[in-house]
Each structure stands twice: as C-alpha cells, then as structure tokens.
Amino acid sequence: MSQRKGQAPAVSADIGVYPVADLLSWIHARRRAGVLLFQRGELEKRLFLEKGQVIFASSNQGVDHIGHSLVRAGRITLDQLRDAEQYHQPPHRFGKSLVERGCVTPRQLWDGLALQVEEIARSLFSYPTGQMRFWDGPYLPDNVARFQLQTDLLVRDGRRWRRQLGRLVAALGEPRIRIERSGHGPAYAVGAESQLLTALEGESAFLPLCRRARLDPPTAARALQLLHRSGAVRIRRNGDDPELTQRVRAKLGC
C-alpha cells in the first residue's frame, strides 16, 4: 500500500513554492523512511524511501513504463516491446515477458529496472507545478525490486537533467522545427507516444502538437525521444537554418 487510509502526511507542499529538490534533501538529511506522492492532474508518481534513500518508484504514466524506458535507452527495439506486450499475461510482471522472449537477460532487466526508477525520480524535476505529500512509514509494495539510489546524487542529477530537458523542449519549440510521421517506423505505440501519433496529422510544430495530444511539453519531449529513436517520426527544419535540425536531433539523443 502507498499510505494508510486516513493518515495525515508529514509534509504537504506545492512544488511551485517548495521545490522537489528541497523536499528530497529534507528527507535525505533526516534519513526518513516513507512514500513521497507527486500529483499533477491525473498524473501520479511515487518514490519509496528508506533511511532517506530512494529504493523504488512507480508511475501511472505510460512514458515511465519499463519497456518504454528500455527503448529510450536503446536496450530493446520498439518491435521487441510490441512482441513482449502481446505475449505478456497479467498478473505476471512484464519484465518476465521481456526475459522469456529473449529481449533482455535477467541482468539487463535488473539494470533496466534501476534505470526506470531513476527516470521516474528525475522526471519529478521537470514539472513547474504539482502537489507533493510525504508519509512516514515502511510503505514499499510487496514483491518489487529494491534499489539504493543516493538521494543527494539524485537531486544533483535531477537538476542537471531538468536543464537538459528544458533545452530539448526549447529546441523542439523553435518556430522553424516541424515534426511529422516518417512512414517507415513501427506504427505501434501506447500511452503518450500513441497520443502524439494520433494528434500528428501531416506536419506540426511542437507546441500545437502538445496541445492537440493534451500532453505537457516535458512529457511530449520524452515521448518524442522514443518515437524518434524508433524511426516513427522525423524532425526537420522549415526555413533557412541548416544547422537547426541537427541541433534538435542531437538533443533528442541526450
């Protein structure tokens, strides 16, 4: 369970006033154990902590799915993800399907899960608004992997990653940049990737695409990383700046 029913949180804050980095640093300095819940509209992400260190994370966003994380990292292809999802039989864990289909080894899956937890934690730094609540207590769900992420390093890397993501969002938002389907990449996608492809009729600038897909720019940028890597979309310039497209493509691989 994430928190006991009716139990008041030890901390409740608006990240526009009390930033994520400050709250994580507070938990780390006091070596607290508990669960940190981030909410923004229907979006929910949780960090589970022990002695001030992040040991697990969860998200209700498709972009944070373990398979999508592995595709973004170049560990599996989008076709392998599609095959594993078609093969997957709940309630068995999806990682088991990836291993059984030969997409990853058990060790590669473990490394991928660690990367997924880091990505979920880092993604909290990309939101300018949202509510965070922290409950004290041992709340780690049953039958999940336990990791030991150094929270102070996570805060440092989260700030750096936020700057990188901000540069990517700014580059994609350049007026001359156009995004379009390639016609060559896999047609399969779910979650934020599916929303982008559905909203992408013809070519589009980035911010209008975000509005049509009903995605915030940071989430849309992360989803475009996966779609671009898989070849499902292409990024091109619309103007006379020959270096602009290359700059955006370089940031998509960051």
Side-chain angles (χ1 to χ4, degrees), residues 160-174 247-248 251 254:
R160 181 175 59 196
W161 182 84
R162 178 179 60 192
R163 291 192 294 270
Q164 291 174 339
L165 184 61
R167 288 194 290 269
L168 172 59
V169 169
L172 286 168
E174 285 274 358
R247 292 202 302 271
V248 174
K251 289 181 172 64
C254 69

Side-chain angles (χ1 to χ4, degrees), residues 21 24-25 125 150-160:
L24 282 174
S25 296
F125 290 81
Q150 298 295 317
T151 304
D152 53 341
L153 298 181
L154 185 63
V155 169
R156 182 199 66 188
D157 292 344
R159 285 171 168 153
R160 181 175 59 196

Side-chain angles (χ1 to χ4, degrees), residues 26-113:
W26 180 86
I27 294 170
H28 176 254
R30 289 159 180 77
R31 294 173 58 84
R32 304 286 277 267
V35 59
L36 184 64
L37 170 65
F38 172 80
Q39 292 179 302
R40 188 170 188 256
E42 296 181 356
L43 181 153
E44 290 189 358
K45 303 191 184 197
R46 288 176 171 84
L47 302 185
F48 299 85
L49 300 103
E50 187 175 88
K51 296 181 180 179
Q53 309 289 3
V54 175
I55 58 174
F56 188 67
S58 66
S59 168
N60 67 352
Q61 267 201 312
V63 73
D64 293 320
H65 186 272
I66 177 60
H68 291 212
S69 181
L70 289 168
V71 172
R72 279 193 301 274
R75 311 289 172 81
I76 64 173
T77 67
L78 200 57
D79 285 333
Q80 286 176 310
L81 173 60
R82 174 176 58 184
D83 177 69
E85 290 196 329
Q86 291 176 337
Y87 175 81
H88 179 230
Q89 295 292 326
H92 298 295
R93 295 198 174 277
F94 183 70
K96 181 180 178 182
S97 296
L98 289 170
V99 173
E100 290 178 347
R101 301 302 289 173
C103 301
V104 293
T105 65
R107 178 63 195 184
Q108 289 171 330
L109 175 62
W110 179 264
D111 292 341
L113 289 169

Side-chain angles (χ1 to χ4, degrees), residues 19 46 57 65 95 99 116 140 173 187 190 192 197 201 214-215 226 228-229 247 254:
R46 288 176 171 84
H65 186 272
V99 173
Q116 179 195 23
L140 185 66
V190 296
L197 288 178
E201 299 177 357
R214 302 183 68 180
L215 293 171
L226 185 148
H228 181 263
R229 182 182 291 275
R247 292 202 302 271
C254 69

Side-chain angles (χ1 to χ4, degrees), residues 177 235-237 241-250:
I177 285 294
I235 313 293
R236 66 176 183 82
R237 64 181 175 84
D241 185 348
E243 298 181 358
L244 182 58
T245 302
Q246 203 60 36
R247 292 202 302 271
V248 174
R249 286 176 177 168

Side-chain angles (χ1 to χ4, degrees), residues 7-25:
Q7 181 180 354
V11 178
S12 181
D14 182 330
I15 65 170
V17 178
Y18 194 25
V20 174
D22 291 350
L23 184 50
L24 282 174
S25 296

